[in-house]
Amino acid sequence: MPSKGTQEGKATPSEGTQEGKETPSEGTEAIAAIAETPPAKLTGIVLEEGSIFDPAKEAEKADVNALVPSERGKSLARHRLHPDAESELCNAVNVAYGMSYTFHAMSLYFARDDVALKGLSRFFMKRSNDEREDALSLSKYLSRRGGRLKLKSVCEPRMEYDDPVRGDALMAMELTVAMEKLEYEKYLALVKLANDKEDMELEDKITDEYLHPQVKLIKKHSEYVSQLRRVGKGEGTYLFDRILKNKMKGKPELHHVHPHASPLA
């Protein structure tokens, strides 16, 4: 009969509803289980299993007043910057300014009309600007970390670089390599200090942006010293200066000079 077939071939509405959906009581139990989850307990940066991290509560436990001081004159941004690291950063800034001042004096010496080595003058002016940029960059970084910069007096640089044996160009370039090695030692000491104080941010900053580039500078300028020692004073220094001048302008090196070419060409 039609009524019997209908009953055998189809499930009743009540059976389909019970199999496809969870009962209201099961959903209520799940919500209650989440609500009963214990608050987060922070040990270092590791949360205990089954806990939920509540940043506001953890900040209160860590003493908000200590992390965000209210005293006048104290930096709010300062965090994990050790006073020794702050002092060494100040020293690095002052060293960079001092080197910039010295390179500026060298540039002015080689620009004089009785010296007239324009390539060396441009080279040392670029070194002066680079050191000044390093000092500014370190100053900004120190400020970003919440430190306080203390600038010191800059020593008066020497203005004469002529040497009867070595010549002025070689003497100035040897001084350049010596100063750059001393600056490298400053950066290296700062990296070691940052490592001792577990300041990985400072360690990475100095290593990547100052220590590695300083190694390249020392290598490059040591080659200049070797070349100046090889060519000697007089015409050799003049040719070295012309090649250096072309490098500073971005031109190809001067591989050959015609014997009858004008020295002013």
Side-chain angles (χ1 to χ4, degrees), residues 49-78:
E49 186 176 357
S51 61
I52 298 177
F53 178 61
D54 187 337
K57 287 184 178 180
E58 296 304 326
E60 290 175 359
K61 290 179 183 178
D63 188 0
V64 175
N65 291 330
L67 293 174
V68 189
S70 57
E71 294 88 343
R72 185 179 179 83
K74 280 194 174 183
S75 171
L76 302 180
R78 185 169 184 144

Side-chain angles (χ1 to χ4, degrees), residues 5-6 50 53 74 84 106 109 179 193 198 218 226-227 255:
T6 305
F53 178 61
K74 280 194 174 183
D84 292 344
M106 288 181 175
Y109 169 81
M179 289 190 299
L193 177 62
E198 299 182 350
I218 293 171
S226 297
Q227 291 167 7
H255 295 290

Side-chain angles (χ1 to χ4, degrees), residues 25-42:
S25 60
E26 290 177 350
T28 304
E29 291 175 0
I31 295 172
I34 295 174
E36 292 175 0
T37 304
K41 295 180 181 179
L42 193 63

Side-chain angles (χ1 to χ4, degrees), residues 180-246:
E180 286 169 347
K181 287 184 176 181
L182 291 175
E183 190 174 35
Y184 175 87
E185 293 298 323
K186 279 287 184 184
Y187 290 143
L188 185 61
L190 186 52
V191 169
K192 290 180 178 178
L193 177 62
N195 183 268
D196 292 341
K197 304 304 180 183
E198 299 182 350
D199 191 340
M200 303 309 155
E201 156 68 18
L202 176 59
E203 183 179 357
D204 289 345
K205 171 78 174 180
I206 301 301
T207 300
D208 294 341
E209 297 185 21
Y210 298 93
L211 203 60
H212 292 333
Q214 196 72 11
V215 172
K216 295 179 181 179
L217 281 178
I218 293 171
K219 172 64 165 61
K220 179 180 179 181
H221 300 157
S222 295
E223 291 175 351
Y224 288 172
V225 170
S226 297
Q227 291 167 7
L228 284 167
R229 287 176 177 176
R230 186 182 299 274
V231 300
K233 300 189 297 180
E235 185 178 357
T237 298
Y238 169 74
L239 293 176
F240 174 87
D241 183 75
R242 286 194 64 182
I243 294 172
L244 186 60
K245 182 180 178 181
N246 287 333

Side-chain angles (χ1 to χ4, degrees), residues 12-27:
T12 61
S14 61
E15 290 176 351
T17 304
Q18 291 175 355
E19 291 178 0
K21 298 182 181 179
E22 63 181 8
T23 62
S25 60
E26 290 177 350

Side-chain angles (χ1 to χ4, degrees), residues 147-160:
R148 297 293 185 261
L149 178 61
K150 295 180 180 179
L151 292 175
K152 299 178 181 178
S153 299
V154 180
C155 295
E156 180 181 350
R158 62 184 300 173
M159 300 302 297
E160 296 292 334

